[in-house]
Amino acid sequence: MAGDSVKARNGCMVAYTGQMNFKKLSGGGDGLRGMVTRRLTGEQMEVMEVKGQGTCYFADKATEVNLVRLNGETLFVESDNLLCTEATLHTGTSFTGLNGMASGNGLFTTKVEGSGWAALTSKGPAIILRVSQGMPLRVDPGAYVAHTGSLNRSLKSGAGWTTLIGEGGGEAMQVEFTGEGLVYVQPSEKMTFGGDV
């Protein structure tokens, strides 16, 4: 950094060189409205502003860090997977409805908008999959990290009569993406409600 700043998950700084100032931001750095929205939605993320001259290193539990460049588009990401963003990016929440809740990711997800870099974490290097018209993509809810583009998200059941008699394939729920865009998945699964069905 050369006098500029980033917003990062509170406590994720592991080292820095130069002169840095750390300031806790209430409401994810989006003021009172952002704080109220995050409290109501449950999509909470303690955020700090890091400003200064030098190099600052961020990490979280030895997970892979993936850089995503936004040029005016919107990134939808699970708050657990958002490590830091340039201060030029605005963060908020987006309603995912029952699709998100049933997949174990909650009713809301974090929305990042604007132009700049965002750093996402994943358990292993993230796999970036393209979705195009007529070519939908299905993702295990526990492997989903983020997505960009004009995508529709819906919950699909892979359960059939074999699941009821105990001979299902173990992939009862998937999230289907249709439209045009990119989906980031991790080569690991977190436990979700849908995965246990």
Side-chain angles (χ1 to χ4, degrees), residues 4 13 60 79 83 92 99 104 109-110 131 136 143 148 150 153 157 162 167 174 182-183 196:
D4 49 338
M13 184 279 294
D60 182 48
S79 62
L83 183 64
N99 292 333
T109 193
T110 297
V131 180
T148 60
S150 300
R153 175 178 169 165
S157 174
T162 55
E167 295 180 7
Q174 298 104 37
L182 300 174
V183 178
D196 292 337

Side-chain angles (χ1 to χ4, degrees), residues 12-155:
C12 71
M13 184 279 294
V14 292
Y16 70 89
T17 60
Q19 297 294 316
M20 297 288 164
N21 291 313
F22 301 86
K23 177 184 172 187
K24 183 177 178 182
L25 298 175
S26 61
D30 297 318
L32 182 61
R33 183 170 178 249
M35 182 172 65
V36 170
T37 301
R38 287 178 182 274
R39 293 262 189 256
L40 289 174
T41 61
E43 186 71 4
Q44 295 184 47
M45 181 174 144
E46 295 291 325
V47 176
M48 64 182 173
E49 179 186 58
V50 183
K51 187 173 185 176
Q53 304 265 352
T55 303
C56 192
Y57 298 89
F58 302 101
D60 182 48
K61 300 175 187 156
T63 53
E64 192 83 15
V65 177
N66 309 273
L67 295 177
V68 177
R69 174 74 185 168
L70 296 178
N71 294 303
E73 63 264 64
T74 301
L75 171 74
F76 298 91
V77 57
E78 294 304 308
S79 62
D80 290 347
N81 296 103
L82 183 59
L83 183 64
C84 60
T85 67
E86 283 191 274
T88 54
L89 294 173
H90 173 75
T91 57
T93 55
S94 177
F95 182 67
T96 59
L98 294 178
N99 292 333
M101 188 177 72
S103 64
N105 294 324
L107 285 169
F108 294 84
T109 193
T110 297
K111 180 171 62 171
V112 182
E113 299 175 291
S115 296
W117 289 97
L120 313 181
T121 60
S122 59
K123 293 181 181 175
I127 304 160
I128 305 170
L129 302 169
R130 181 170 295 283
V131 180
S132 55
Q133 292 293 340
M135 293 291 290
L137 171 70
R138 287 197 179 186
V139 174
D140 184 291
Y144 169 77
V145 173
H147 72 272
T148 60
S150 300
L151 292 174
N152 296 313
R153 175 178 169 165
S154 60
L155 192 65

